[in-house]
Amino acid sequence: MKIYKIRGGNDPIYASIHAQMGQPYEEGEYIKVTWNDYYSKGNVIPDFLYSGYIVCKRKIAIELSQIFNKIEIGELEWHKNPKEIVAKDIRRLRWLPKEEVDLLHIYSKIYIPILPQSTVIIEKKANGEEYIDSYIGVESIIGEKHILREKEKGIFIQQKEIKNFDFFRIEKSYPLLCTENVKEYIEKRGFSNVVFLEVGDVIEN
C-alpha cells in the first residue's frame, strides 16, 4: 500500500490562505489565518485551499472524519489581510473572496515510527531535540515542476504500526499523511484543488 502526503493545490485561480507555521493547535487552539494576497490571482474558494496547513470546507472535513481513522478537526481564527484594512475599495482586491465559506483544518495526533531504510534528513533543534527536516526521493511539486518519487526511496512503515489508521504523521515529522484509501475516496468524490504526493510504502509484517 502506498503512502501519500495530502495538501491543497497551488493553482493561482483559487483563493489561498496565509498562516504562520508552528502555531499550536493540538489542544484545541485556533490557527490564526488571513487571505493570501501574494500568490493568488483569483478569489474562488475551492474544496481544499493552498496553505501551510490542510484547510478545507467544514462539510468535507466532517465527512472525512466520519469515514476515516484517525483525523482531527481544528478551527481557524480569521484576521484581515493588511491590504484589506487599508484598501479604499476592497472590490478591487481580486484575491479577496466575495463569499463566506465555513473552513477549518484537518490533522492527526497519530504518530507512527518509520523503518531504518526510510530516506529522510534528520536535524536537531536548538534544545537538541531531533526532527525530520525532509524526505528524500519522494514525489514533489516545485512551482510548475512535477518530480516523481524515486525507486526504493521515501518513507517505509510496517503494517502492524499503521494498524487501521488512514490519516497519520510519522514520528518527529509534521506533514499529514494518508493511505491509498483516502486518495481513492477523495478522487472519487471529485473534491477540487487537492493533491496527493507519493512519499512511501506500507510494508507487510
Side-chain angles (χ1 to χ4, degrees), residues 140-187:
S140 61
I141 298 176
I142 304 175
E144 297 183 357
K145 188 175 182 180
H146 186 186
I147 303 170
L148 297 178
R149 181 186 173 196
E150 298 178 33
K151 186 178 180 180
E152 298 181 355
K153 288 190 176 182
I155 297 164
F156 298 94
I157 298 173
Q158 279 190 310
Q159 179 66 52
K160 68 177 183 180
E161 297 288 353
I162 201 170
K163 301 177 183 177
N164 64 335
F165 298 122
D166 284 297
F167 282 99
F168 54 90
R169 289 183 275 183
I170 62 172
E171 292 181 350
K172 304 178 183 178
S173 184
Y174 166 79
L176 179 64
L177 306 179
C178 67
T179 63
E180 289 180 30
N181 298 331
V182 175
K183 180 177 182 291
E184 291 173 359
Y185 179 85
I186 288 180
E187 290 179 342

Side-chain angles (χ1 to χ4, degrees), residues 4-6 139 178 182-183 186-187 194-198:
Y4 295 91
K5 176 182 176 182
I6 180 174
E139 184 178 9
C178 67
V182 175
K183 180 177 182 291
I186 288 180
E187 290 179 342
V194 59
V195 174
F196 294 93
L197 302 173
E198 184 181 328

Side-chain angles (χ1 to χ4, degrees), residues 61-94:
I62 293 174
E63 177 179 334
L64 295 176
S65 69
Q66 293 173 341
I67 296 172
F68 295 108
N69 196 13
K70 175 67 168 152
I71 187 174
E72 306 286 342
I73 291 175
E75 300 288 345
L76 307 179
E77 179 182 308
W78 285 94
H79 295 261
K80 288 188 175 182
N81 183 295
K83 291 184 179 179
E84 184 181 354
I85 295 173
V86 301
K88 294 181 179 179
D89 185 357
I90 63 172
R91 292 174 298 180
R92 300 183 65 181
L93 302 178
R94 296 182 179 180

Side-chain angles (χ1 to χ4, degrees), residues 3 112-123 130-138 149 152-157 170-175 177 199-200:
I3 301 170
I112 296 177
I114 56 177
L115 292 167
Q117 63 263 42
S118 299
T119 53
V120 299
I121 295 178
I122 298 177
E123 301 285 357
E130 290 186 342
Y131 69 96
I132 293 176
D133 180 68
S134 57
Y135 311 153
I136 301 173
V138 299
R149 181 186 173 196
E152 298 181 355
K153 288 190 176 182
I155 297 164
F156 298 94
I157 298 173
I170 62 172
E171 292 181 350
K172 304 178 183 178
S173 184
Y174 166 79
L177 306 179
V199 298

